[in-house]
Every structure is written in C-alpha cells, then in structure tokens.
Amino acid sequence: MNFSLSDSSNEEKQLYRNEESLETETSNKERDALLIERCQSGDYTAFDELIIVYRGKIYAMIFNMIRNEADAWDLSQDVFIKAWKALSKFEGRSAFYTWLYRITHNVTYDWIRKKKIGGGGEFNDEMLNEAEPGALTSPKAFDSPDQNVQRAELRNEITIAINSLSEDHREVILLKEVEGLSYQEIAESIGSSIGTVMSRLYYARKKLQETLKDNNYD
Amino acid sequence: MLGKNYRKLLKIITMTEKEELVTRWIDGELTTEQELEFKKIEELDPDFCASFKAASDDVREALRSEFNSEVEVPHGVFFNSQIENRIRQSYVKESPVTGVLGAAIIWIKSPFTWAAASAFCLLLFLSNKNLDQGIGSTVVSTYSPDPSVIIVSAGYNEEAEATVIKLEGLERIPDDTDFSVNHIVSYDRQGPPGFVHFYNKQDEVVYIMETDEYGLPNVF
C-alpha cells in the first residue's frame, strides 16, 4: 500500500473538506437552534421537523447496536419522546445531535440490559440470530463472483467480530468510524471521559484488526 | 517491566503513549503540543505510523462497508405520527383532566380549548334538520372529555352567525386572559386518519385534534 505520510496536496484537500464540513456543521447548528427555540415555545411542528432531520441517524445507530429492525424502530421513537420531554432542559451547551445521541445511548443500553444481551468479549448466539448482516447495505458490485463471495464472507466476519465486542466497545467504534463523531462528542454522548473513549476505541480496533488480519483483508 | 509482564499475563490490551499519539493523529485529534510530539515519533519510526494507519484504515473501511451512519426509517410518516400520538397519550395519562389543563400540555393553553374540543365534537354530529336547538342544526349527541364540564345548551345564534355552546363547570377564566391567542384562524389537515392542527393569527398551534379514517374526531 503506497501512501505518503506528509502529502501536502492531500493536506490541502483535507483542509478544504474540513472547511466545507465546518460550513455545513455551522448551518446545521443554526437550523437546530431555530427549531429548538420554536419547540421550547410549544411549537410541535418544529419538533416534527427535527425528527425528520435526525430520525435516520438515530435509527441507524440503534440498529447498528442491536441489529433488529422492529426494536430499532420502537426504540427510535422512545428516543424522540424522551427528547421532547427533556427539551425544556436543553441549554445548547453541546450540539443538539450530541444531546440526542446521549438519549439514544441511554435508551439503547436500557433495552440491552433488559434483554440481557451482553458482549463482554464473549460471542452471543442470540445476537447473531437476530442480526441481518448487510441487510441495509447494498451489495457492492465486484468483478467476479469469487470476490462477491469473499466480500460476503468478510462482511459476515466483521459482523461477528463487532458483535463479539461488548456494547461499550461496539458503541464507541461505531460512533467513531461510522458516525464520524469526535472524541469529545463521543464522550458527551456516552457520558464518559475522552480517556475512556480512547481506550475503548483502541481495544475495539485491535480486536477488529485481528479479525481482518486473519481474513487477509486488503 | 513488572507492569508490562503483568499486562501480558492478563492479556489486557492497553495503549502506550506512542500508540495514543498515533491514534490521535489518525483521528485528527492531536492538540498543538501533541503534534510536535507526534512529528518526532514520525521521524523516528515512520513504518510504525504507516502500518498503524493502514490497519486503522482497513478497519474503518470494513465497518463503513457493513454499517450505515444513516438509514431511512421505514414508514417515516407513520413513525412521526406515532411519536406525536404517544406524547399526547402520555400527557393525558399524567395530567388530571380538569377545566384548566396543566402547563405540560403544549397544545392546550386555556380553558377554552376544552370548550373547543366539546364544540368540535358537537359540530361533527350536526345535521341540517330544523329543530328547537336552532336553525340549520341539530345536536344529535354530545360528549365532553371532562365529565365535570356540562354542555348546557347548544344552538345557532343569528346575531353571532355561529353555533354557540354554553358550558358549565369550567374554572374561572382570569380577567386578563388574552383570548385572541386562541382564536383559530387557520388549520392544517393531515389524513384522514391523522391530525388537524389549528393555528392562531401568530401561526402558533392552538389545538391538535386527531381524526379517524372518516375524518371524525377521535375522542378518548
């Protein structure tokens, strides 16, 4: 694999992407602030708009954790209902979506505790039976059937590997690698310190790297 | 040394300071001070940084190929309506039903909302027969969500050119109550079945009524 650790052209592109995403982030924050203000003054239609903006992310996050569509659908509703009831206490010190992820974390963990599905490093057959590996993703187009089979097997391995992590590690690696949250945002979402986030992230990556290494993925 | 062996014995995966810096570098989370430290590591051991980054990139790519950051919720419109319904139901369970409703109910802002609820329940039962209640209207049935509120009379009032409903049992309305905020000037119907949102002149929601598949109000 060839790449340069200090490629200035890549750094420039990265800077541009960061600026672009910063602009989007700023406008999203402004939009959220306006909608929240309307919600807090009793305008439910504003909350309806917020649901539309964030329901896809919340649903995806919960589904990625529990791998069950029906339960993810129900729990996503629970998240927004709790968010509505707590909205008067939202002071805007963190981003709205971080605050929403915090509620998502609590709702998901409560559900997991009740279901008594635990990772803890041990593989849980029940979770695999409920899992639908690749159900929400479109199969990638490859050149040969052999590659398709290989990719399908790898997706299965990744799913098994991630499901073998505890929910703490699974959540952090998903928030980082899939949702793209920063350390600070993850810490706020899960109610932990940045140090805890980093250590869980490190552990999860190591475990997954071992899986990929075993499958010679590159 | 003893610490390192102990960790190996317990097979605990822990991060060294070097790995922490490289991890932060991969995630774009280096502080200004840490950047300087990282540069030193990069110069001393570029292969370590490269292999670490490559392995992390592989993990990221694999995860993103399998997991989505956003997924369209199945039956999105129904999803939203269910949330609204459940919120409303939860307030009905939590708040005692009286002539003046608790501040927690966002769309019930004054005692007149119950009057409006009663009125709409009545209106939807009206027919065009001429009876003693008034010209062009007949009260076939009445329903009040609050049993302590009694519908004394209902009928068409020519002077007002409207149906007037007299109620008993509502709590006294403060003299400084601003009724204009509850004056409905427009509405937005979703469905049926669905909801009808009623707005005042400030475009604020005054009342929300749920309707069944025939467009009639759902009473509870």
Side-chain angles (χ1 to χ4, degrees):
Chain A
M1 182 184 290
N2 290 323
F3 65 90
S4 169
L5 288 174
S6 299
D7 186 328
S8 59
S9 64
N10 280 345
E11 280 175 7
E12 280 172 14
K13 283 178 194 169
Q14 184 61 39
L15 182 63
Y16 176 70
R17 276 199 294 273
N18 286 343
E19 285 174 350
E20 242 185 7
S21 60
L22 198 61
E23 267 181 42
T24 307
E25 199 181 317
T26 305
S27 72
N28 287 344
K29 280 185 180 171
E30 287 170 358
R31 173 206 62 204
D32 290 351
L34 284 169
L35 287 174
I36 289 162
E37 195 181 326
R38 284 170 54 194
C39 288
Q40 289 174 335
S41 63
D43 183 356
Y44 188 85
T45 56
F47 187 66
D48 203 60
E49 289 180 45
L50 276 174
I51 296 173
I52 292 171
V53 170
Y54 287 107
R55 64 189 184 192
K57 283 194 161 291
I58 300 302
Y59 176 73
M61 185 59 213
I62 296 175
F63 177 80
N64 288 341
M65 285 291 288
I66 69 174
R67 307 302 278 178
N68 182 288
E69 284 187 13
D71 287 327
W73 200 81
D74 288 338
L75 292 178
S76 300
Q77 289 189 11
D78 291 347
V79 167
F80 286 107
I81 291 167
K82 288 183 187 296
W84 170 256
K85 292 185 176 180
L87 207 48
S88 57
K89 299 173 201 162
F90 178 71
E91 295 170 355
R93 281 180 291 197
S94 62
F96 175 73
Y97 69 85
T98 308
W99 181 78
L100 203 58
Y101 273 135
R102 181 90 174 107
I103 297 174
T104 305
H105 163 88
N106 291 337
V107 166
T108 307
Y109 269 57
D110 284 346
W111 184 87
I112 290 173
R113 268 194 289 274
K114 283 176 189 170
K115 279 279 194 178
K116 293 181 183 173
I117 294 173
E122 293 180 4
F123 179 63
N124 187 313
D125 284 325
E126 186 182 347
M127 183 163 261
L128 179 60
N129 288 339
E130 291 185 28
E132 297 171 41
L136 298 180
T137 62
S138 302
K140 290 188 185 297
F142 293 108
D143 293 336
S144 72
D146 287 345
Q147 282 176 311
N148 284 334
V149 169
Q150 197 178 19
R151 289 287 180 188
E153 284 175 354
L154 177 63
R155 279 203 299 274
N156 200 37
E157 292 295 329
I158 289 292
T159 303
I160 292 172
I162 197 126
N163 288 342
S164 70
L165 298 174
S166 72
E167 57 266 17
D168 287 344
H169 294 99
R170 196 184 319 138
E171 183 181 35
V172 168
I173 192 81
L174 289 173
L175 284 174
K176 184 65 201 154
E177 302 294 16
V178 178
E179 301 293 335
L181 267 58
S182 68
Y183 291 169
Q184 180 63 36
E185 287 167 340
I186 295 172
E188 285 173 13
S189 297
I190 67 173
S192 289
S193 66
I194 288 180
T196 302
V197 169
M198 287 197 69
S199 67
R200 288 180 188 171
L201 201 56
Y202 181 79
Y203 175 90
R205 278 172 172 160
K206 277 287 183 186
K207 295 290 281 183
L208 294 176
Q209 281 164 13
E210 284 167 14
T211 302
L212 293 177
K213 206 173 169 183
D214 290 344
N215 283 279
N216 297 314
Y217 176 66
D218 57 33
Chain B
M1 281 298 282
L2 183 63
K4 193 187 287 185
N5 288 335
Y6 181 70
R7 283 198 297 274
K8 278 185 182 174
L9 183 66
L10 294 179
K11 293 184 184 175
I12 294 172
I13 300 175
T14 57
M15 230 183 337
T16 62
E17 281 186 28
K18 182 176 171 182
E19 286 166 336
E20 180 180 336
L21 278 172
V22 177
T23 299
R24 282 182 171 274
W25 166 67
I26 289 165
D27 291 332
E29 296 265 6
L30 288 170
T31 63
T32 313
E33 286 174 3
Q34 288 169 340
E35 271 182 34
L36 297 170
E37 288 178 47
F38 170 74
K39 288 288 181 194
K40 293 175 195 171
I41 295 171
E42 192 183 15
E43 282 166 21
L44 285 171
D45 197 351
D47 290 339
F48 171 79
C49 297
S51 64
F52 204 95
K53 185 178 188 305
S56 296
D57 286 349
D58 287 345
V59 167
R60 182 176 300 121
E61 189 183 327
L63 286 172
R64 287 182 178 177
S65 70
E66 175 59 20
F67 296 91
N68 293 296
S69 64
E70 190 164 355
V71 174
E72 184 54 45
V73 171
H75 314 295
V77 173
F78 183 58
F79 179 85
N80 277 40
S81 72
Q82 281 294 96
I83 291 171
E84 187 172 359
N85 198 35
R86 287 175 63 186
I87 288 172
R88 193 168 51 79
Q89 293 288 343
S90 70
Y91 282 128
V92 167
K93 284 176 193 168
E94 288 166 13
S95 302
V97 177
T98 59
V100 178
L101 300 173
I105 305 177
I106 56 130
W107 55 75
I108 299 176
K109 294 183 180 180
S110 82
F112 271 71
T113 304
W114 285 111
S118 303
F120 281 111
C121 291
L122 284 174
L123 284 171
L124 290 167
F125 285 104
L126 292 178
S127 69
N128 287 323
K129 291 179 187 172
N130 293 333
L131 290 178
D132 54 0
Q133 282 89 352
I135 296 171
S137 66
T138 300
V139 176
V140 178
S141 174
T142 62
Y143 170 80
S144 173
D146 180 5
S148 67
V149 176
I150 302 165
I151 299 169
V152 175
S153 64
Y156 185 78
N157 183 288
E158 283 187 9
E159 190 181 16
E161 291 183 356
T163 299
V164 176
I165 304 171
K166 280 189 183 174
L167 304 169
E168 245 181 37
L170 293 175
E171 287 192 20
R172 186 176 174 279
I173 300 161
D175 292 334
D176 58 350
T177 300
D178 179 14
F179 297 127
S180 64
V181 295
N182 296 314
H183 178 63
I184 295 168
V185 298
S186 64
Y187 71 91
D188 177 35
R189 179 187 289 273
Q190 297 164 3
F195 295 91
V196 183
H197 292 79
F198 296 92
Y199 302 91
N200 60 15
K201 57 185 175 186
Q202 282 88 29
D203 215 31
E204 295 163 345
V205 175
V206 174
Y207 179 66
I208 299 176
M209 181 174 69
E210 187 185 35
T211 59
D212 62 16
E213 63 270 29
Y214 304 110
L216 297 177
N218 275 333
V219 292
F220 51 87

